[in-house]
Amino acid sequence: MPIPALDLKAQYATIKDEIDAAVRDVFANQSFILGPIVEGFEKEAATHLNTKHAIGVNSGSDALLLCLMAAGVGPGDEVIVPSFTFFATAGAVHRTGAKPVFCDVLADTFCIDVKDAAKRVTPKTRAIIPVDLYGQCADMEAVSQLAEKNKLTVIEDAAQSFGARRNGKMAGTFAHFGIYSFYPTKNLGGAGDGGMISTHDDALADKVRLLRTHGERPRYFNKAVGICGRIDALQAAVLRVKLKHLDKWNARRAAVAKIYDGKFSGNAKLRTPRVDAGNSHIYHQYTIVIDGEKRDAVQKSLADKGIGSTIYYPVPLHLQECFAYVGQKVGSLPVSEKLSKQVLSLPMFPELTDAQANEVAAAVLAAV
Ligand SMILES: *Cc1c(COP(=O)(O)O)cnc(C)c1O
């Protein structure tokens, strides 16, 4: 039997009745934008995350954009982002007219290298966006120290880490802002696009809420130029159902990771993800690093056996065509560049069985 990298149908099968009822409820109410279901979801998410404000928006990408806008980032400013992340982290910076400045990541946790970031701070630097990549928190204490010293706004990109913790605190709640994505493949995924912003700051929350609806307050009177950035009630309805199951699902991901870790331990040809001290990793992805230049061959060997795997991400952002203008050349961020050639994310979803995980691990070991 093939083993996909991700199987969303398997998850739907376990919660079909709850989801279908929640969706029918939205249609019965015919209130599709914001409204009581969205407010309910925002309250439940804020409680889950132990944050003061959780604001539903239309995607993780626009969540980033809204935070930058609320922080007043714009032309002439620089924002430090890790090069090894999903495109949106830097795309949002460009959209404000500010310049993304790329820094490197740590080879073992894949998260921001704060020492490298510190070297890139200039008088123009206004903000920094650490990413909790693959499901574990970045070194948020070090990020906060750097930010306080240089008066930077911190936007924690927790798009892949809803429910992860660091020293007991939830991912996305360490900084001025945290953002989440509910893209369907994320560990908390909706039935389309969706996202969220968390903040403890009343004034910043108010700004985000204003900008999320074109800056209008009251209706048809615009105080600022915002965006059309609201979350749909349909997404909120689905996400409310899924949030109730999230702890259990995240725990199962960690159990699958433990199986992989056990099978791979001691193998010199690949590296397993290191969990940073104080972190509880939710393994949005289980990503290994394969030494040398064998990664693509390993992926093909898995595919030949019907086993899915994914490369997150094949091109570091400083080498993307659209960011050539930033001027960071090949060789400038060696860890990000090397990882993009060596990482491979293995099948990871809560419904994956122990037997399947063992089969995947065996196929990897046979191929490296
Ligand atoms: C998915 C993701 C985003 C963007 O979220 P969307 O909801 O797809 O717009 C941003 N940052 C990271 C790290 C992501 O993985």
Side-chain angles (χ1 to χ4, degrees):
M1 281 285 277
I3 304 174
L6 174 66
D7 186 354
L8 290 173
K9 286 184 185 160
Q11 180 167 86
Y12 177 53
T14 69
I15 50 171
K16 186 176 184 306
D17 292 347
E18 287 174 88
I19 294 278
D20 292 0
V23 167
R24 275 197 302 272
D25 191 35
V26 175
F27 278 92
N29 283 307
Q30 292 287 307
S31 169
F32 294 111
I33 305 286
L34 297 179
I37 293 173
V38 167
E39 281 160 29
F41 173 54
E42 288 178 334
K43 275 210 187 87
E44 287 153 18
T47 302
H48 195 96
L49 295 167
N50 195 19
T51 187
K52 194 158 178 203
H53 303 276
I55 304 161
V57 296
N58 62 347
S59 68
S61 301
D62 277 352
L64 287 161
L65 180 63
L66 282 163
C67 294
L68 289 162
M69 289 170 77
V73 171
D77 295 334
E78 293 178 357
V79 178
I80 297 176
V81 299
S83 181
F84 191 67
T85 175
F86 178 60
F87 177 79
T89 314
V93 175
H94 176 99
R95 291 281 308 279
T96 66
K99 181 175 148 183
V101 172
F102 297 104
C103 70
D104 221 337
V105 295
L106 299 169
D108 54 0
T109 63
F110 314 112
C111 290
I112 190 165
D113 178 345
V114 180
K115 286 199 183 107
D116 185 70
K119 289 185 211 147
R120 297 171 197 279
V121 174
T122 76
K124 292 182 175 172
T125 310
R126 282 288 312 281
I128 184 167
I129 313 183
V131 180
D132 300 333
L133 200 71
Y134 300 150
Q136 78 167 319
C137 290
D139 182 349
M140 290 307 297
E141 296 83 10
V143 170
S144 297
Q145 265 180 16
L146 177 68
E148 271 165 36
K149 197 172 134 204
N150 296 284
K151 301 198 164 51
L152 309 180
T153 295
V154 181
I155 302 166
E156 183 185 0
D157 182 343
Q160 303 187 0
S161 296
F162 201 111
R165 287 185 181 80
R166 180 176 178 86
N167 299 320
K169 233 166 131 170
M170 303 299 278
T173 68
F174 284 83
H176 299 98
F177 298 104
I179 74 97
Y180 308 88
S181 165
F182 305 129
Y183 186 79
T185 62
K186 298 285 155 89
N187 70 309
L188 177 58
D193 277 313
M196 183 160 266
I197 293 167
S198 109
T199 181
H200 305 295
D201 185 306
D202 295 342
L204 291 178
D206 185 63
K207 260 192 195 163
V208 165
R209 287 185 189 280
L210 179 73
L211 293 170
R212 145 178 102 161
T213 310
H214 292 301
E216 61 174 26
R217 187 178 290 161
R219 194 101 205 246
Y220 305 125
F221 290 80
N222 298 73
K223 282 191 181 330
V225 180
I227 65 172
C228 179
R230 302 161 299 226
I231 193 169
D232 292 340
L234 268 174
Q235 299 309 329
V238 167
L239 290 161
R240 278 179 103 170
V241 170
K242 288 196 170 191
L243 184 59
K244 288 189 220 139
H245 298 274
L246 189 68
D247 286 346
K248 171 185 75 193
W249 287 336
N250 283 345
R252 175 59 194 163
R253 287 172 179 275
V256 170
K258 210 165 168 191
I259 294 175
Y260 285 150
D261 278 344
K263 293 284 171 187
F264 297 146
S265 84
N267 190 299
K269 292 179 190 149
L270 61 82
R271 274 200 291 115
T272 55
R274 189 176 76 81
V275 182
D276 200 17
N279 274 359
S280 76
H281 198 317
I282 54 96
Y283 294 95
H284 173 58
Q285 299 297 337
Y286 185 92
T287 302
I288 58 171
V289 181
I290 299 163
D291 273 349
E293 291 171 9
K294 284 196 79 175
R295 190 267 315 271
D296 293 352
V298 172
Q299 186 176 38
K300 179 163 187 314
S301 161
L302 294 180
D304 290 344
K305 292 177 176 162
I307 297 172
S309 64
T310 316
I311 296 166
Y312 302 109
Y313 297 91
V315 183
L317 297 185
H318 70 291
L319 301 182
Q320 294 286 358
E321 190 180 336
C322 64
F323 290 133
Y325 75 91
V326 175
Q328 291 178 263
K329 300 266 181 329
V330 176
S332 62
L333 298 173
V335 177
S336 297
E337 290 171 31
K338 196 167 172 193
L339 286 175
S340 65
K341 296 195 176 83
Q342 295 189 331
V343 287
L344 191 65
S345 297
L346 302 181
M348 176 53 82
F349 46 94
E351 298 75 22
L352 199 72
T353 65
D354 288 13
Q356 286 175 312
N358 283 318
E359 194 181 326
V360 172
V364 170
L365 289 171
V368 290

Short mmCIF file of all heavy atoms in Angstrom, two decimals, residues 57-64 84-90 129-134 157-161 179-186 192-196 284 312-313, ligand 1:
data_model
loop_
_atom_site.label_atom_id
_atom_site.label_comp_id
_atom_site.label_asym_id
_atom_site.label_seq_id
_atom_site.Cartn_x
_atom_site.Cartn_y
_atom_site.Cartn_z
N VAL A 57 -7.80 35.81 10.43
CA VAL A 57 -7.57 36.50 9.16
C VAL A 57 -7.61 35.49 8.01
O VAL A 57 -7.81 34.29 8.24
CB VAL A 57 -6.23 37.28 9.18
CG1 VAL A 57 -6.27 38.38 10.23
CG2 VAL A 57 -5.05 36.36 9.42
N ASN A 58 -7.44 36.01 6.79
CA ASN A 58 -7.72 35.14 5.65
C ASN A 58 -6.58 34.22 5.24
O ASN A 58 -6.77 33.32 4.43
CB ASN A 58 -8.19 35.98 4.45
CG ASN A 58 -7.12 36.95 4.02
OD1 ASN A 58 -6.16 37.17 4.75
ND2 ASN A 58 -7.27 37.52 2.85
N SER A 59 -5.38 34.42 5.76
CA SER A 59 -4.28 33.49 5.47
C SER A 59 -3.11 33.83 6.39
O SER A 59 -3.05 34.93 6.98
CB SER A 59 -3.81 33.62 4.01
OG SER A 59 -3.19 34.88 3.78
N GLY A 60 -2.17 32.92 6.46
CA GLY A 60 -0.94 33.20 7.21
C GLY A 60 -0.14 34.29 6.53
O GLY A 60 0.49 35.11 7.19
N SER A 61 -0.19 34.30 5.20
CA SER A 61 0.56 35.31 4.44
C SER A 61 0.05 36.70 4.77
O SER A 61 0.84 37.63 5.02
CB SER A 61 0.41 35.06 2.94
OG SER A 61 0.89 33.79 2.61
N ASP A 62 -1.28 36.89 4.76
CA ASP A 62 -1.83 38.20 5.07
C ASP A 62 -1.73 38.51 6.57
O ASP A 62 -1.72 39.67 6.97
CB ASP A 62 -3.26 38.35 4.56
CG ASP A 62 -3.29 38.73 3.08
OD1 ASP A 62 -2.20 39.04 2.53
OD2 ASP A 62 -4.36 38.73 2.46
N ALA A 63 -1.64 37.48 7.39
CA ALA A 63 -1.39 37.72 8.81
C ALA A 63 -0.04 38.43 8.98
O ALA A 63 0.07 39.41 9.72
CB ALA A 63 -1.39 36.40 9.59
N LEU A 64 0.96 37.94 8.25
CA LEU A 64 2.28 38.59 8.29
C LEU A 64 2.20 40.03 7.80
O LEU A 64 2.73 40.95 8.41
CB LEU A 64 3.28 37.80 7.42
CG LEU A 64 3.74 36.45 7.98
CD1 LEU A 64 4.31 35.58 6.87
CD2 LEU A 64 4.78 36.67 9.07
N PHE A 84 15.87 30.36 5.12
CA PHE A 84 15.36 28.99 4.98
C PHE A 84 13.97 28.92 5.63
O PHE A 84 13.83 28.60 6.81
CB PHE A 84 16.34 28.01 5.65
CG PHE A 84 16.03 26.57 5.35
CD1 PHE A 84 16.18 26.06 4.07
CD2 PHE A 84 15.61 25.72 6.35
CE1 PHE A 84 15.89 24.73 3.79
CE2 PHE A 84 15.32 24.38 6.09
CZ PHE A 84 15.46 23.90 4.80
N THR A 85 12.95 29.26 4.84
CA THR A 85 11.57 29.26 5.31
C THR A 85 10.66 29.28 4.10
O THR A 85 11.13 29.32 2.96
CB THR A 85 11.28 30.48 6.22
OG1 THR A 85 9.88 30.50 6.57
CG2 THR A 85 11.58 31.80 5.53
N PHE A 86 9.35 29.26 4.34
CA PHE A 86 8.40 29.39 3.24
C PHE A 86 8.42 30.82 2.71
O PHE A 86 8.63 31.78 3.47
CB PHE A 86 6.99 29.00 3.71
CG PHE A 86 5.95 29.14 2.65
CD1 PHE A 86 6.04 28.42 1.46
CD2 PHE A 86 4.88 30.02 2.80
CE1 PHE A 86 5.08 28.57 0.46
CE2 PHE A 86 3.93 30.17 1.82
CZ PHE A 86 4.02 29.44 0.64
N PHE A 87 8.15 30.97 1.44
CA PHE A 87 8.25 32.24 0.73
C PHE A 87 7.51 33.39 1.42
O PHE A 87 7.99 34.54 1.46
CB PHE A 87 7.73 32.09 -0.70
CG PHE A 87 7.74 33.38 -1.46
CD1 PHE A 87 8.90 33.87 -2.00
CD2 PHE A 87 6.58 34.13 -1.58
CE1 PHE A 87 8.93 35.07 -2.68
CE2 PHE A 87 6.59 35.35 -2.25
CZ PHE A 87 7.77 35.82 -2.80
N ALA A 88 6.34 33.09 1.97
CA ALA A 88 5.46 34.15 2.49
C ALA A 88 6.13 35.01 3.56
O ALA A 88 5.83 36.20 3.69
CB ALA A 88 4.19 33.54 3.07
N THR A 89 7.03 34.40 4.34
CA THR A 89 7.70 35.14 5.42
C THR A 89 8.37 36.40 4.87
O THR A 89 8.30 37.48 5.47
CB THR A 89 8.74 34.25 6.13
OG1 THR A 89 8.17 32.97 6.40
CG2 THR A 89 9.22 34.87 7.42
N ALA A 90 9.01 36.27 3.72
CA ALA A 90 9.71 37.41 3.12
C ALA A 90 8.82 38.18 2.14
O ALA A 90 8.96 39.39 1.99
CB ALA A 90 10.97 36.92 2.40
N ILE A 129 11.54 38.63 11.87
CA ILE A 129 10.50 37.59 11.81
C ILE A 129 11.14 36.21 12.01
O ILE A 129 11.52 35.55 11.05
CB ILE A 129 9.72 37.62 10.47
CG1 ILE A 129 9.29 39.05 10.12
CG2 ILE A 129 8.51 36.67 10.55
CD1 ILE A 129 8.46 39.14 8.83
N PRO A 130 11.30 35.78 13.27
CA PRO A 130 11.77 34.42 13.49
C PRO A 130 10.68 33.43 13.09
O PRO A 130 9.49 33.74 13.22
CB PRO A 130 12.01 34.37 15.01
CG PRO A 130 11.07 35.39 15.56
CD PRO A 130 10.95 36.47 14.53
N VAL A 131 11.07 32.29 12.56
CA VAL A 131 10.10 31.28 12.12
C VAL A 131 10.24 30.02 12.98
O VAL A 131 11.36 29.53 13.18
CB VAL A 131 10.32 30.91 10.63
CG1 VAL A 131 9.31 29.87 10.18
CG2 VAL A 131 10.25 32.16 9.75
N ASP A 132 9.13 29.54 13.50
CA ASP A 132 9.12 28.29 14.27
C ASP A 132 8.98 27.15 13.25
O ASP A 132 7.91 26.58 13.07
CB ASP A 132 7.96 28.27 15.27
CG ASP A 132 8.04 29.43 16.27
OD1 ASP A 132 9.15 29.91 16.54
OD2 ASP A 132 6.97 29.84 16.76
N LEU A 133 10.09 26.83 12.60
CA LEU A 133 10.02 25.97 11.42
C LEU A 133 9.76 24.50 11.75
O LEU A 133 10.34 23.99 12.71
CB LEU A 133 11.30 26.11 10.59
CG LEU A 133 11.16 25.66 9.14
CD1 LEU A 133 10.31 26.63 8.34
CD2 LEU A 133 12.53 25.51 8.47
N TYR A 134 8.93 23.89 10.99
CA TYR A 134 8.61 22.45 11.04
C TYR A 134 7.88 22.02 12.32
O TYR A 134 7.64 20.83 12.51
CB TYR A 134 9.87 21.58 10.93
CG TYR A 134 10.68 21.73 9.67
CD1 TYR A 134 12.07 21.53 9.71
CD2 TYR A 134 10.11 22.02 8.44
CE1 TYR A 134 12.85 21.62 8.57
CE2 TYR A 134 10.87 22.12 7.29
CZ TYR A 134 12.24 21.93 7.36
OH TYR A 134 13.02 22.02 6.23
N ASP A 157 6.66 33.90 13.35
CA ASP A 157 5.93 33.14 12.33
C ASP A 157 5.75 31.70 12.82
O ASP A 157 6.65 30.86 12.68
CB ASP A 157 6.69 33.20 11.01
CG ASP A 157 5.98 32.47 9.87
OD1 ASP A 157 5.07 31.66 10.17
OD2 ASP A 157 6.33 32.71 8.70
N ALA A 158 4.59 31.44 13.43
CA ALA A 158 4.28 30.12 13.96
C ALA A 158 3.31 29.38 13.04
O ALA A 158 2.52 28.55 13.49
CB ALA A 158 3.72 30.23 15.38
N ALA A 159 3.39 29.68 11.74
CA ALA A 159 2.46 29.08 10.76
C ALA A 159 2.50 27.56 10.81
O ALA A 159 1.51 26.89 10.50
CB ALA A 159 2.80 29.57 9.36
N GLN A 160 3.65 27.00 11.20
CA GLN A 160 3.78 25.54 11.21
C GLN A 160 3.75 24.97 12.62
O GLN A 160 4.06 23.80 12.81
CB GLN A 160 5.12 25.15 10.54
CG GLN A 160 5.25 25.69 9.12
CD GLN A 160 6.49 25.17 8.39
OE1 GLN A 160 7.27 24.40 8.93
NE2 GLN A 160 6.64 25.59 7.15
N SER A 161 3.39 25.79 13.60
CA SER A 161 3.63 25.37 14.99
C SER A 161 2.49 25.64 15.95
O SER A 161 2.72 25.86 17.14
CB SER A 161 4.90 26.05 15.50
OG SER A 161 6.00 25.61 14.77
N ILE A 179 1.98 34.76 14.31
CA ILE A 179 1.02 34.47 13.24
C ILE A 179 0.93 32.96 13.03
O ILE A 179 1.88 32.21 13.26
CB ILE A 179 1.37 35.18 11.89
CG1 ILE A 179 2.56 34.53 11.19
CG2 ILE A 179 1.57 36.67 12.09
CD1 ILE A 179 2.19 33.54 10.10
N TYR A 180 -0.25 32.54 12.58
CA TYR A 180 -0.52 31.12 12.31
C TYR A 180 -1.17 31.01 10.93
O TYR A 180 -1.81 31.95 10.46
CB TYR A 180 -1.48 30.53 13.35
CG TYR A 180 -1.04 30.77 14.77
CD1 TYR A 180 -1.41 31.93 15.44
CD2 TYR A 180 -0.21 29.86 15.42
CE1 TYR A 180 -0.99 32.18 16.73
CE2 TYR A 180 0.22 30.10 16.71
CZ TYR A 180 -0.17 31.25 17.37
OH TYR A 180 0.26 31.49 18.64
N SER A 181 -1.01 29.85 10.32
CA SER A 181 -1.67 29.57 9.04
C SER A 181 -2.58 28.36 9.22
O SER A 181 -2.20 27.39 9.87
CB SER A 181 -0.63 29.25 7.98
OG SER A 181 -1.25 28.65 6.86
N PHE A 182 -3.75 28.45 8.61
CA PHE A 182 -4.67 27.30 8.61
C PHE A 182 -4.81 26.73 7.21
O PHE A 182 -5.83 26.13 6.87
CB PHE A 182 -6.03 27.71 9.18
CG PHE A 182 -5.94 28.33 10.55
CD1 PHE A 182 -6.57 29.55 10.82
CD2 PHE A 182 -5.24 27.71 11.57
CE1 PHE A 182 -6.49 30.13 12.07
CE2 PHE A 182 -5.14 28.29 12.84
CZ PHE A 182 -5.78 29.51 13.08
N TYR A 183 -3.79 26.96 6.39
CA TYR A 183 -3.74 26.30 5.07
C TYR A 183 -4.02 24.81 5.30
O TYR A 183 -3.58 24.24 6.31
CB TYR A 183 -2.34 26.53 4.47
CG TYR A 183 -2.20 26.05 3.06
CD1 TYR A 183 -2.68 26.81 2.00
CD2 TYR A 183 -1.58 24.83 2.78
CE1 TYR A 183 -2.56 26.37 0.70
CE2 TYR A 183 -1.45 24.38 1.48
CZ TYR A 183 -1.94 25.15 0.44
OH TYR A 183 -1.83 24.71 -0.85
N PRO A 184 -4.79 24.17 4.41
CA PRO A 184 -5.26 22.81 4.71
C PRO A 184 -4.19 21.80 5.10
O PRO A 184 -4.47 20.86 5.86
CB PRO A 184 -5.94 22.40 3.40
CG PRO A 184 -6.40 23.69 2.80
CD PRO A 184 -5.37 24.71 3.16
N THR A 185 -2.96 21.97 4.64
CA THR A 185 -1.93 20.97 4.98
C THR A 185 -1.24 21.27 6.31
O THR A 185 -0.42 20.47 6.76
CB THR A 185 -0.85 20.91 3.89
OG1 THR A 185 -0.20 22.20 3.82
CG2 THR A 185 -1.44 20.57 2.53
N LYS A 186 -1.56 22.38 6.93
CA LYS A 186 -0.91 22.70 8.20
C LYS A 186 -1.45 21.80 9.31
O LYS A 186 -2.52 21.21 9.17
CB LYS A 186 -1.13 24.18 8.56
CG LYS A 186 -0.51 25.15 7.54
CD LYS A 186 1.01 25.24 7.64
CE LYS A 186 1.69 25.67 6.37
NZ LYS A 186 1.86 27.10 6.16
N GLY A 192 -9.71 25.46 3.32
CA GLY A 192 -9.36 26.54 2.40
C GLY A 192 -8.33 27.40 3.09
O GLY A 192 -7.67 26.95 4.04
N ASP A 193 -8.21 28.65 2.66
CA ASP A 193 -7.23 29.53 3.28
C ASP A 193 -7.75 30.10 4.59
O ASP A 193 -8.94 30.37 4.74
CB ASP A 193 -6.89 30.69 2.34
CG ASP A 193 -5.85 30.31 1.29
OD1 ASP A 193 -4.83 29.71 1.69
OD2 ASP A 193 -6.06 30.60 0.10
N GLY A 194 -6.84 30.32 5.52
CA GLY A 194 -7.17 30.96 6.79
C GLY A 194 -5.90 31.22 7.57
O GLY A 194 -4.86 30.62 7.30
N GLY A 195 -5.99 32.13 8.52
CA GLY A 195 -4.82 32.42 9.34
C GLY A 195 -5.23 33.13 10.60
O GLY A 195 -6.42 33.40 10.84
N MET A 196 -4.26 33.42 11.46
CA MET A 196 -4.56 34.07 12.73
C MET A 196 -3.37 34.89 13.20
O MET A 196 -2.23 34.57 12.87
CB MET A 196 -4.92 33.00 13.76
CG MET A 196 -5.31 33.53 15.12
SD MET A 196 -6.24 32.28 16.04
CE MET A 196 -7.92 32.77 15.61
N HIS A 284 5.13 19.34 12.77
CA HIS A 284 4.38 19.64 11.54
C HIS A 284 5.06 18.90 10.39
O HIS A 284 4.40 18.30 9.54
CB HIS A 284 4.37 21.15 11.29
CG HIS A 284 3.78 21.51 9.98
ND1 HIS A 284 2.49 21.16 9.63
CD2 HIS A 284 4.29 22.16 8.91
CE1 HIS A 284 2.25 21.61 8.41
NE2 HIS A 284 3.31 22.20 7.96
N TYR A 312 11.03 20.69 1.68
CA TYR A 312 10.76 22.03 2.20
C TYR A 312 12.09 22.59 2.68
O TYR A 312 12.55 22.15 3.72
CB TYR A 312 9.80 22.01 3.37
CG TYR A 312 8.46 21.40 3.13
CD1 TYR A 312 8.13 20.18 3.70
CD2 TYR A 312 7.51 22.04 2.34
CE1 TYR A 312 6.87 19.63 3.51
CE2 TYR A 312 6.25 21.49 2.15
CZ TYR A 312 5.94 20.28 2.74
OH TYR A 312 4.69 19.74 2.55
N TYR A 313 12.83 23.43 1.95
CA TYR A 313 12.45 24.11 0.73
C TYR A 313 13.63 24.01 -0.23
O TYR A 313 14.76 24.15 0.22
CB TYR A 313 12.11 25.57 1.03
CG TYR A 313 10.90 25.64 1.96
CD1 TYR A 313 11.06 25.67 3.33
CD2 TYR A 313 9.60 25.61 1.43
CE1 TYR A 313 9.94 25.68 4.17
CE2 TYR A 313 8.50 25.64 2.27
CZ TYR A 313 8.67 25.66 3.63
OH TYR A 313 7.59 25.65 4.47
C1 LIG B 1 2.28 28.28 5.36
C2 LIG B 1 3.22 29.30 5.84
C3 LIG B 1 2.96 30.67 5.73
C4 LIG B 1 1.80 31.23 4.97
O1 LIG B 1 0.58 30.77 5.31
P1 LIG B 1 -0.63 30.76 4.25
O2 LIG B 1 -1.81 30.52 5.11
O3 LIG B 1 -0.35 29.66 3.29
O4 LIG B 1 -0.68 32.08 3.60
C5 LIG B 1 3.86 31.56 6.29
N1 LIG B 1 4.98 31.13 6.89
C6 LIG B 1 5.30 29.82 6.99
C7 LIG B 1 6.54 29.43 7.70
C8 LIG B 1 4.43 28.87 6.46
O5 LIG B 1 4.75 27.58 6.55
#
